[in-house]
Amino acid sequence: MFRNTFLLLVFLLLSELCRSQQLIPIDEVRYLDQINHTIKTSKDDRVVLQNYLLLSEYWATTDSLKSAQALNTVLNSPKKNLLSKGLIEYYQGIFATNQGSRADAKKHYEQAIKILQNDKKNSGILIKALYNEAYVQIEDKSYDFLVKALTEKCIPLSEKTNNKELLAYSYTQLGLTFMSVGQLDKAEEYHKKALEVLKQIPKAKTVHLITYLNLISNYCYKPDSKTAKVYLDKAKAMLQNYPQSQHYTNYYYQEAMYYTTKQDYPKALSSLDAGVKMAKVKNQLKLLHLLYFRMYNVYLMQKNYVKAKQQLEQILKENILSKEALNRRITYTQLAAVNDVLGNSKEAYQWMKKSNDLGDSLNQQKLLQKLNEYEILHKTIEKQKTINQLEQEKKGNELIAKNKNLRITILAIALGLSLIIAILIYLTYRKQQKLNQQISISHQHDLLYIENQRKYEATQAVLQGEEQERQRIAQDLHDSMGGMLANIRMSISSNELYQSTDIVEKLDKSISEMRRISRNLMPETLKNLGLETALKELCESMTHKHFSIQFEAFDVSDKVPFQIQLAFYRIAQESISNVIKYAQANNVIVQISQDGNTLTLTVEDDGVGFDKSQITYGLGLKNIENRVRLINGKVEIHSVKGEGTTINVECYV
C-alpha cells in the first residue's frame, strides 16, 4: 500500500541532501565573520570579489536575497575581469541551482567547465562544477549520468590534482547516489573509500561530517542501527561545540532515522522537532520539508494515519519541495494511500487521479523533450551534410589544380611514401624491441613465480614431515623409552639391594625430561584440551629463572581447526625460544585472542630488540613466517634496538 514511501524518502534524501551538503565550514559563524572582515579590510580588489562570491554561496541555500546581492556586486563590478570568467559562471550556477532554475544552472556550469578545463589554479572549482552540472540533470538523465560524472571525471581529476577533500567528497556523494537506488552495499563500499581518504586529512573538516551523516543513512536503511550509532556519535562530537551550525539540521534528520530504525518513535519525533526548529531559524526550507516527510514516515510506522495525512497536506500547502512535479506526484500517491486506509475512498480516488494526470503530463513533457532533441539532432546532421558537400567540392577543385603539375606531384608522393615506409619500419622495429623486452620480463616473472611456488610447496612438505616425525619420535619416547625407564625405576624401588636415593632421583629426572621432550615434540595437552590450555602449559614449562612469562587468553574457541592450533603452538614455542636465546628479557607476555573468525597471537618481550634493516632473519623467524604462510595468515614483527620485540600473528579460522 505504501510501497513508494521508501523511494520517496530516499529520492528526496538524495536530491535535497546533495544540494545541502555544501562544504561550508562547521564553524560557520567564524567563517562568515572572516568573509565579511576580508571584504571590509582587504585592499586587493580580486580578493574582495572572491569573498563576495563565497558570501553568495553561503547564503544561497538560506537567504536568496543576500545571495543575489553578493553575486550582483561581483557581476556589476567594473573590476570583475580580475577574476576568472569560469569562476563567476560557477557561482552563478550555484545561485541558479538553489533557485530551482535547473536549465540556467546547467548553462552556467557548462560554461564554467569549458573555461576552467585549462585553469590549474581553479581545479577544485572545476571538480565541483562537473559534479553540479551532472546533479542538476538527474531528473532528465537519471542517476547513471551522475554516477558517470563522478567516476569518469570528478574522482580521476581529484586524484590527479591530489585534492583529498574533494576526492573523499566525490566518493561519499557516489555512495549517496547508489543509496538512492537501493544499492546499499555498493553505497557502503564508496562511503568507506571516502573514510580511507579522510584518514589522510589530519584535521577534521566538513567533508568528515558529511561522510558520517551519509553512513548513518546507509546503515539505517540496511538496517544496522549498531553501526549507524557509531557514526552518529562521531557526527555529534564534531558538532557539539558549534550549536549554531546549519549542519545541525541534517544531523537531527539522521538522528531521527536512527531512532526510527530502533523503533523508538517518540525519540525520533523529538529529534525531528528539534530539526524543524533549527531549519526554521536557519531558513532551510527544503530541509524543513525533508524533515516533514520523515515525520510522515514515522506516523505511518505508528499507524497514526490521521497525523500522516495532515503532514502531507501541510507539505502541499507550503509548496516547497512539491513545486517539482515529480515530488508532487509522489505526494499525491501517498495521500491516496493514506485516505484509502482511513476509509475515505472518494478522496483517495481524487488524489490518485491527480497523480495519474500529473504522470501523464510528465510523460508528455519528456516526449516533447525527446522530440526536440531529435529535431536538433536532425538539423545537426543536415548541417554536417552541407559541410561535407562543400568539403568535397573543395577537394575536387584542389585535385584539378594538382593535375597541372602531375609529374611533380607523383614524385613528391613517391618520396613521401618512401619516407613514411622508412618511419613505419623504424617504429615497427622499436615496437618489436619493446615487445621482446616485455616478453622477457614476463618470462622472468613467470619463472620467479614458479620458483617461489616450488619453494612454498617444499617448505610445506618439510614442515608437515617435521610435524609427522616429531609425532613419531614423541610416540616412541612415550611408548618405548618411557615404559623402559618406568620399569627400571620400579625394579630398583622393589629391590632393597639396589635401592639408592640418588639413582631413583636421577631416574625420576630422566623420566621427567623424557616427558618434557615428548610433550614439546607433540603436546598431548593440545590434542586433548585445546590451544588455550596447551599454550598456558607451554608458558609455565618454558618460564626461565631470569624472566617470567605472563600468559593471557581471550574468547578462544575450542572449535579452531587442529592444524591452525598446532601452527600457533609452534609459533609461540619458537618465539619464546628466540627470547631465551637472544632477547635478554626480564618479562614476556604471550596473548592469544579470538574476535569472531579472527584468531590472533601476540608474543612481546622487553629485551634488547634488534634493527630489522641490519639483521638477517635466522631459521627461527623464517620458520615462523613459513608456518604463518601455510595457514594463510599474516605476521608482523616489530622490533627496535633497546625497546624489545613484538610478534603479531593473525589468521582467519
Side-chain angles (χ1 to χ4, degrees), residues 212-213 215-233 235-236 250-269 271-272 294 297-298 301:
Y212 296 155
L213 295 175
L215 276 162
I216 296 166
S217 293
N218 201 75
Y219 283 118
C220 285
Y221 283 125
K222 288 194 85 165
D224 181 357
S225 59
K226 184 178 179 181
T227 309
K229 184 65 165 62
V230 172
Y231 294 102
L232 188 68
D233 291 341
K236 187 173 183 179
N250 192 355
Y251 169 79
Y252 284 127
Y253 182 92
Q254 306 301 338
E255 188 178 55
M257 283 192 66
Y258 166 73
Y259 285 126
T260 304
T261 307
K262 297 281 287 183
Q263 297 184 353
D264 192 342
Y265 302 127
K267 284 188 178 180
L269 290 172
S271 297
L272 290 169
R294 176 54 59 185
N297 184 58
V298 174
M301 291 182 175

Side-chain angles (χ1 to χ4, degrees), residues 412-614:
I413 291 172
L415 290 172
L417 287 173
S418 300
L419 180 62
I420 291 170
I421 291 170
I423 293 171
L424 288 174
I425 291 171
Y426 175 73
L427 292 176
T428 303
Y429 171 73
R430 290 291 302 275
K431 186 176 181 181
Q432 188 62 42
Q433 278 190 323
K434 290 182 180 178
L435 183 60
N436 290 339
Q437 290 176 355
Q438 289 176 352
I439 291 172
S440 177
I441 292 170
S442 177
H443 181 64
Q444 292 296 327
H445 286 168
D446 290 343
L447 289 175
L448 182 61
Y449 173 77
I450 292 169
E451 183 180 354
N452 289 335
Q453 191 67 23
R454 286 176 178 172
K455 287 180 180 179
Y456 172 75
E457 290 172 356
T459 302
Q460 185 178 21
V462 168
L463 289 176
Q464 288 177 348
E466 181 184 312
E467 287 300 334
Q468 290 173 358
E469 187 64 15
R470 284 188 178 195
Q471 187 171 0
R472 185 189 66 77
I473 294 170
Q475 193 68 38
D476 288 347
L477 282 172
H478 183 272
D479 295 343
S480 179
M481 290 299 295
M484 291 171 64
L485 288 171
N487 200 8
I488 291 169
R489 188 189 185 288
M490 289 174 63
S491 297
I492 291 173
S493 298
S494 62
N495 193 329
E496 295 181 359
L497 181 62
Y498 294 103
Q499 279 187 354
S500 170
T501 304
D502 185 46
I503 293 174
V504 172
E505 286 179 356
K506 288 180 179 179
L507 277 172
D508 287 340
K509 288 181 180 179
S510 298
I511 293 170
S512 297
E513 182 65 14
M514 182 274 298
R515 287 175 178 169
R516 185 188 67 79
I517 293 170
S518 176
R519 185 173 58 249
N520 285 343
L521 288 169
M522 180 51 62
E524 290 298 321
T525 308
L526 183 63
K527 283 185 174 182
N528 300 328
L529 300 178
L531 180 60
E532 181 178 337
T533 305
L535 284 177
K536 182 178 180 182
E537 185 180 278
L538 175 67
C539 293
E540 291 173 352
S541 67
M542 295 188 76
T543 296
H544 198 270
K545 63 182 180 179
H546 297 301
F547 65 84
S548 63
I549 301 176
Q550 178 182 340
F551 175 70
E552 299 174 352
F554 303 98
D555 302 327
V556 180
S557 171
D558 56 359
K559 296 181 180 179
V560 177
F562 181 74
Q563 288 302 322
I564 294 176
Q565 291 189 45
L566 181 59
F568 269 63
Y569 182 87
R570 292 299 184 207
I571 291 166
Q573 192 177 39
E574 190 71 53
S575 300
I576 297 172
S577 295
N578 285 343
V579 174
I580 294 171
K581 291 177 184 177
Y582 310 113
Q584 302 176 27
N586 294 320
N587 297 286
V588 180
I589 297 176
V590 177
Q591 184 185 90
I592 184 77
S593 63
Q594 186 171 349
D595 183 10
N597 291 326
T598 301
L599 187 66
T600 304
L601 171 67
T602 300
V603 180
E604 181 179 354
D605 68 72
D606 60 355
V608 296
F610 59 88
D611 188 343
K612 292 175 67 177
S613 64
Q614 297 179 359

